[in-house]
Amino acid sequence: MGRSLALLIAALLLPSAPASGQEACRLCYADPMAKPGERPLTIEIWADLSFAKLALVSRGGGSARVDANSGSKTTQGDLIDLGGSAVNGRGRITGTPLRRVRIDLPARVPMTTPDGAVAELTDFTTNLPADPQLDANGELEFTFGARMTVTSGRGGNYRGRIPISVDYN
């Protein structure tokens, strides 16, 4: 831990335009503290996590989940799906070829609307293997998803920032 750390705050945009393939990097970070002979870790996020269109049918609250692998959306409670394409977050890590890395996602991320309503992201998942490793080109692509819980009984355009950290193992 601590040899080389890359940290990215990925913006969660709700709703978001669907990703159109690999666009230019919108959120990138390169580690300026890499050791000599070691490629610095970089992380790029080219698709924001988006839950598309949802509605609260009462003040009871509810939750929605975007699957890390498929990008599919499911809802529970008084939160219902109004359509639109949910998008799992997508990113790429680059660094020293064949090095093992650790990717940490937060336990909780608070979200707010411009008028002060609150929600929370939890239960983050990725499509990464248990012991992720950069390939022979020094790259590793991944997707991530999470659960959004609305308990305030208020709808809105929720936004938050997801801190994702990457380190060589």
Side-chain angles (χ1 to χ4, degrees), residues 21-23 41-47 68-69 88-95 99 101 103 105 125-129 131-144 164 166:
Q22 286 187 327
E23 300 169 353
L41 276 171
T42 64
I43 183 170
E44 305 169 43
I45 301 298
W46 70 79
N69 293 308
N88 53 6
R90 296 182 198 129
R92 180 176 63 177
I93 300 162
T94 59
R99 290 287 306 271
V101 292
I103 296 97
L105 288 126
T125 57
T126 71
N127 68 340
L128 292 164
D131 191 20
Q133 180 177 358
L134 302 177
D135 66 15
N137 294 321
E139 297 180 0
L140 176 63
E141 292 188 7
F142 67 101
T143 59
F144 58 95
I164 301 172
V166 180

Side-chain angles (χ1 to χ4, degrees), residues 145-157:
R147 175 180 305 281
M148 179 179 68
T149 303
V150 178
T151 57
S152 67
R154 292 174 50 196
N157 190 7

Side-chain angles (χ1 to χ4, degrees), residues 37-113:
E38 186 174 69
R39 263 177 70 185
L41 276 171
T42 64
I43 183 170
E44 305 169 43
I45 301 298
W46 70 79
D48 298 322
L49 180 61
S50 174
F51 289 82
K53 295 179 182 178
L54 301 166
L56 279 170
V57 294
S58 75
R59 298 225 177 254
S63 67
R65 170 175 272 304
V66 172
D67 182 75
N69 293 308
S70 67
S72 65
K73 173 177 50 174
T74 57
T75 61
Q76 291 182 325
D78 292 334
L79 198 59
I80 62 169
D81 185 357
L82 291 180
S85 295
V87 178
N88 53 6
R90 296 182 198 129
R92 180 176 63 177
I93 300 162
T94 59
T96 303
L98 305 176
R99 290 287 306 271
R100 296 192 188 296
V101 292
R102 185 183 68 250
I103 296 97
D104 294 316
L105 288 126
R108 295 182 157 12
V109 172
M111 296 175 31
T112 59
T113 65

